[in-house]
Amino acid sequence: MPNSKKTAAERPAPERRGELLATAAEVFAAHGYNATTVRRIADEAGLLAGSLYYHFDSKESMLDEILSTFLDELWDGYDAVLAARLGPRETLEALVTESFREIDRHRPAVAIYQRESRHLALQPRFAYLAESQRRFEQAWLGTLRRGAAAGVFRADLDVRLAYRFVRDTVWVAASWYRPGGAHSPEEIARQYLSMVLEGIAVRE
């Protein structure tokens, strides 16, 4: 019976695995999960299609690792913000800033999540996407409600509408943001927050 365990020399290098996941994320983001084939990913990575299976058993496994890595990192940041028990405005500012940092680190994964999560969440393997969305909504809505109750945000604020506006305003940036641009994630977050919290009209 052959030994199923690979020796150290036979195991795929972690660096190469990371490179392949980065390539797959770009392809999924550009073309959509269903339209992307293993062959297309392999072509972009400079591999034969069969060689990709040495690293991953399916394109589903690749997508799972891309999304779960992004969300694990996102929630590490969000949980640290929420655990700090800042005021509602400061919490909102920190959540927005952390979101832009994640767009900087995982732009393709964010684009995939936005496009694919609704239908992927119906599959058992990706059920964690629905749970993440529930937590995400709870964190942002909770912060907005806390701010309205404390008089930090307007009392007449429709918090659910405000949540959708802020959420979409932030995460749509993944469609145009490119790492290494003229502005850091923190600077973009500062500009967004200035417009969201203070408006764009000059005050008289």
Side-chain angles (χ1 to χ4, degrees):
M1 181 176 179
N3 187 347
S4 62
K5 293 185 177 180
K6 295 178 180 176
T7 66
E10 292 173 320
R11 294 191 195 104
E15 296 81 6
R16 182 55 172 156
R17 183 183 180 85
E19 291 169 0
L20 293 173
L21 283 172
T23 298
E26 292 286 359
V27 177
F28 288 141
H31 302 287
Y33 176 68
N34 288 334
T36 297
T37 62
V38 170
R39 180 179 295 279
R40 186 168 211 159
I41 297 170
D43 286 346
E44 291 290 333
L47 292 174
L48 296 173
S51 299
L52 198 60
Y53 288 109
Y54 178 62
H55 301 270
F56 304 96
D57 61 15
S58 65
K59 72 171 188 175
E60 184 182 56
S61 293
M62 300 182 81
L63 182 65
D64 188 6
E65 192 162 338
I66 290 164
L67 291 176
S68 61
T69 298
F70 154 58
L71 288 173
D72 285 348
E73 196 169 302
L74 176 72
W75 279 106
D76 283 346
Y78 274 18
D79 285 343
V81 168
L82 297 172
R85 299 185 180 279
L86 304 170
R89 176 168 176 145
E90 292 77 14
T91 298
L92 181 66
E93 291 171 343
L95 289 173
V96 168
T97 301
E98 188 60 39
S99 298
F100 277 107
R101 288 176 179 147
E102 290 306 313
I103 292 172
D104 181 63
R105 296 178 189 126
H106 297 287
R107 184 197 57 78
V110 174
I112 297 164
Y113 181 85
Q114 288 181 308
R115 177 187 291 181
E116 311 280 2
S117 62
R118 186 182 297 272
H119 68 85
L120 284 173
L122 301 176
Q123 302 178 27
R125 182 167 190 167
F126 293 97
Y128 62 85
L129 296 176
E131 173 61 16
S132 182
Q133 177 58 34
R134 185 193 63 78
R135 290 178 63 197
F136 186 92
E137 184 172 309
Q138 185 178 53
W140 287 74
L141 277 175
T143 300
L144 290 166
R145 286 175 177 144
R146 187 160 58 94
V152 175
F153 304 139
R154 286 173 15 210
D156 65 340
L157 189 70
D158 183 323
V159 291
R160 186 164 290 276
L161 184 60
Y163 156 69
R164 289 171 177 161
F165 170 75
V166 175
R167 176 198 65 192
D168 293 348
T169 300
V170 169
W171 292 104
V172 76
S175 67
W176 56 260
Y177 179 83
R178 294 297 179 271
H183 302 290
S184 69
E186 292 78 12
E187 172 61 16
I188 295 173
R190 188 186 70 76
Q191 291 281 349
Y192 264 57
L193 284 161
S194 174
M195 289 183 281
V196 168
L197 296 173
E198 309 297 341
I200 63 173
V202 175
R203 295 188 176 185
E204 297 180 358

